[in-house]
Amino acid sequence: QVHLVESGGGVVQTGGSLRLSCAASGRVFSSYGMGWFRQAPGKEREFVPAISVRGGTTKDADSVKVRFIISRDNDKNTLNLQLNSLKPNDTAVYYCAAPRQADMVPEPVPAAYDFWGHGTQVAVSS
């Protein structure tokens, strides 16, 4: 069973930064693409970025391109998300996610991912 645990959320002012992490266990982390999603109150879960097994390919949502940077450390089984230039509409619960299939970056929709963490809250004040 894949186990994902997010951390690093918090409250930050507009323009600030946060670094989220996701600790993965339960299978060979380096064999799977990974992704981040977020969900604001009353809204659907939204794709943020995704990354390939070796970090060479990423997909980014237009709303966060340049501001958010996804990375991974396969030696530490950790997925990271650097959030920069934060805006109030970035406020959401952020989730890391993993697919069942190895060696691929899934489509940027929640249904393409099979395993999810419980999320970490990010709140951006104006």
Side-chain angles (χ1 to χ4, degrees):
Q1 181 69 22
V2 177
H3 192 49
L4 303 172
V5 179
E6 302 93 338
S7 62
V11 180
V12 64
Q13 291 187 332
T14 296
S17 298
L18 283 173
R19 184 175 177 83
L20 308 183
S21 293
C22 172
S25 61
R27 64 181 184 183
V28 180
F29 176 74
S30 59
S31 296
Y32 297 85
M34 298 287 294
W36 285 97
F37 287 76
R38 66 184 181 184
Q39 189 165 18
K43 295 189 176 182
E44 293 186 352
R45 194 163 293 191
E46 174 189 27
F47 171 75
V48 185
I51 191 168
S52 61
V53 295
R54 292 181 179 83
T57 302
T58 62
K59 296 180 181 177
D60 302 284
D62 288 342
S63 61
V64 304
K65 207 166 278 189
V66 178
R67 297 190 300 123
F68 291 6
I69 302 170
I70 189 172
S71 63
R72 65 190 297 159
D73 186 334
N74 287 339
D75 291 334
K76 296 181 179 178
N77 292 348
T78 301
L79 178 72
N80 301 303
L81 185 63
Q82 179 68 38
L83 313 178
N84 298 318
S85 301
L86 282 162
K87 306 174 183 179
N89 61 5
D90 293 319
T91 294
V93 177
Y94 283 71
Y95 299 90
C96 70
R100 193 178 305 278
Q101 185 176 344
D103 294 324
M104 54 94 70
V105 179
E107 291 302 311
V109 294
Y113 289 79
D114 301 287
F115 305 104
W116 296 83
H118 291 296
T120 185
Q121 175 72 54
V122 171
V124 184
S125 61
S126 57

